[in-house]
């Protein structure tokens, strides 16, 4: 059974802090690892990682994965209140239509 | 605007009354999926489709049916809803085989 585990479950930081969110997985036939941000309703896509050791960046967010050690991290620098959300990690396997999600990390950024 | 559209957004129904949640995407995506989201359990995949007339079960398919007769539409059918199907449902679609999905706005279903 495919498994994705995220840590920590929740996190409270002050605006301006840097945070690191973790995602580890045990799956068969790995295709890609994806990060999503979920605020009120629908998850919105952040990154897709298919190769080990290659960092993806978008503004203050960055992510990297290690296919040998089976984990990924999502970094957010200079956090803002608008970063408050649940961050979801998912792994695509097989045909890539099969996605297994972790239960998410709830991030709260306070003033 | 590129989007995935689900209807209805909210639905309260009674046990055993068949219902359909519609999902439509305007991005010509081949891959589509349905998920349910429950507190503490996260997003779990119900069914997915790789193209027209090609569907497969996800992790929690019991009590659900899907069909993919056209590329843009992927309805979720609950033949005989039960209270344990009360949940928040998402439809999603992707162009890429690597899985960068776009999600619909969700359907909150309550079965009483």
């Amino acid at each position: 059974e495919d498994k994705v585990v995220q840590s920590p479950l929740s996190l409270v930081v002050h605006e301006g802090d840097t945070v690191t969110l973790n995602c580890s997985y045990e799956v068969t036939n790995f295709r890609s690892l994806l990060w999503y941000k979920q605020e009120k309703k629908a998850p919105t896509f952040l990154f897709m990682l298919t190769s080990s050791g290659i960092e993806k960046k978008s503004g203050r967010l960055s992510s990297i994965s290690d296919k040998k050690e089976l984990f990924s991290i999502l970094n957010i620098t200079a956090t803002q209140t608008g970063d408050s959300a649940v961050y979801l990690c998912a792994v695509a396997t097989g045909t890539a239509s099969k996605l297994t999600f972790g239960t998410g990390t709830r991030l709260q950024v306070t003033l | 605007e590129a989007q995935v559209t689900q209807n209805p957004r909210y639905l309260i129904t009674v046990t055993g009354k068949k219902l359909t949640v519609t999902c439509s995407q305007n991005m010509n995506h081949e891959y589509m999926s349905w998920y349910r989201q429950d507190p503490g359990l996260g997003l779990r995949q119900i069914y997915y489709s790789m193209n027209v007339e090609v569907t497969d079960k996800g992790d929690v398919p019991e009590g659900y049916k899907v069909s993919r007769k056209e590329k843009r539409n992927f309805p979720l059918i609950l033949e005989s809803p039960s209270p344990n199907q009360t949940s928040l449902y998402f439809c999603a679609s992707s162009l890429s085989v690597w899985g960068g999905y776009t999600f619909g706005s969700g359907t909150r279903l309550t079965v009483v």
Side-chain angles (χ1 to χ4, degrees):
Chain A
E1 183 184 337
D2 295 338
K3 192 175 177 183
V4 178
V5 178
Q6 293 186 245
S7 64
L9 290 179
S10 66
L11 194 54
V12 180
V13 301
H14 293 295
E15 202 172 43
D17 288 349
T18 293
V19 298
T20 298
L21 309 183
N22 304 295
C23 175
S24 63
Y25 58 92
E26 292 178 31
V27 301
T28 53
N29 200 6
F30 173 92
R31 281 275 190 168
S32 61
L33 186 142
L34 304 106
W35 284 97
Y36 286 86
K37 178 182 182 182
Q38 186 174 26
E39 293 176 87
K40 291 176 183 175
K41 271 289 184 75
T44 53
F45 175 71
L46 294 175
F47 296 111
M48 179 165 62
L49 303 161
T50 55
S51 300
S52 189
I54 297 177
E55 186 182 43
K56 292 281 185 83
K57 288 195 76 170
S58 177
R60 296 176 295 102
L61 278 66
S62 64
S63 182
I64 194 165
S65 71
D66 185 323
K67 285 169 73 172
K68 184 179 177 184
E69 299 298 329
L70 308 181
F71 77 88
S72 174
I73 58 172
L74 175 68
N75 280 318
I76 309 175
T77 60
T79 52
Q80 303 171 355
T81 54
D83 295 326
S84 296
V86 175
Y87 290 84
L88 300 168
C89 173
V91 176
T93 59
T95 59
S97 281
K98 178 86 169 59
L99 278 188
T100 301
F101 280 82
T103 52
T105 293
R106 182 175 297 277
L107 173 66
Q108 184 180 351
V109 181
T110 63
L111 292 171
Chain B
E1 181 188 351
Q3 59 185 0
V4 177
T5 303
Q6 291 178 233
N7 279 297
R9 294 289 303 276
Y10 300 91
L11 179 60
I12 301 174
T13 191
V14 296
T15 299
K17 186 177 181 182
K18 181 179 178 179
L19 67 92
T20 299
V21 184
T22 63
C23 174
S24 180
Q25 50 94 2
N26 62 0
M27 297 168 280
N28 202 34
H29 286 174
E30 290 186 357
Y31 302 91
M32 297 186 76
S33 278
W34 275 102
Y35 298 85
R36 61 178 289 174
Q37 188 171 35
D38 302 289
L41 296 175
L43 278 158
R44 293 178 293 167
Q45 194 170 38
I46 303 171
Y47 269 95
Y48 58 96
S49 170
M50 291 157 279
N51 213 326
V52 175
E53 302 291 3
V54 182
T55 62
D56 207 348
K57 296 177 182 178
D59 294 317
V60 289
E62 295 78 19
Y64 305 94
K65 285 174 60 177
V66 294
S67 69
R68 188 95 181 269
K69 293 185 169 56
E70 305 166 279
K71 198 171 189 178
R72 63 183 292 129
N73 296 323
F74 190 44
L76 179 70
I77 303 154
L78 284 73
E79 295 269 1
S80 182
S82 63
N84 65 10
Q85 292 179 298
T86 292
S87 188
L88 178 59
Y89 290 86
F90 288 104
C91 179
S93 73
S94 172
L95 177 65
S96 165
V97 71
W98 302 107
Y101 278 87
T102 300
F103 280 76
S105 298
T107 296
R108 185 164 292 283
L109 172 66
T110 302
V111 184
V112 298

